[in-house]
Amino acid sequence: QVQLVESGGGLVQAGGSLRLSCAAAGNILSTNYMGWYRQAPGKQRELVAVITSGGSTKYADSVKGRFTISRDNAKNTVYLQMNTLKPEDTAVYYCNAQGTTDWGTPFRSWGQGTQVTVSS
């Protein structure tokens, strides 16, 4: 079992910043992809940013230039630095990790979600 524990959400005014963290724990051999998704009320879950074990990144167009994803491979932890936040960034943010367990089996896990609310 691989569990993801998120932290760092909260309430912030427009233009402000937040940093999300997500730590993966369990029988992990490797994590190929770690990333963040978000889901606003009444909308589908969407990709925000993803990072590979090699450091390659991909961002949603709506957050490019404002959000930065990074990871600490030794700690199996991924971060999302969110700057210049807008009210439309308000959503529940979910961490996602994909990789291989110590048993050699693939895994894909989700965090419990953390609320980010941006006031105008």
Side-chain angles (χ1 to χ4, degrees), residues 16-17 28 31 36 38 45 47 51 55 63 75-76 79 84 95 99-100 103 109 112 116 118:
S17 298
I28 300 170
T31 51
W36 294 92
R38 67 186 181 187
R45 190 173 298 189
L47 172 71
I51 185 168
V63 306
K75 297 181 179 179
N76 286 319
Y79 307 95
T84 320
C95 177
T100 305
W103 302 104
S109 298
Q112 78 282 3
V116 172
V118 184

Side-chain angles (χ1 to χ4, degrees), residues 5 9 32 39 53 61 69 76 93 99 106 119:
V5 179
N32 299 324
Q39 187 167 18
S53 57
D61 288 342
I69 190 169
N76 286 319
Y93 283 68
S119 63

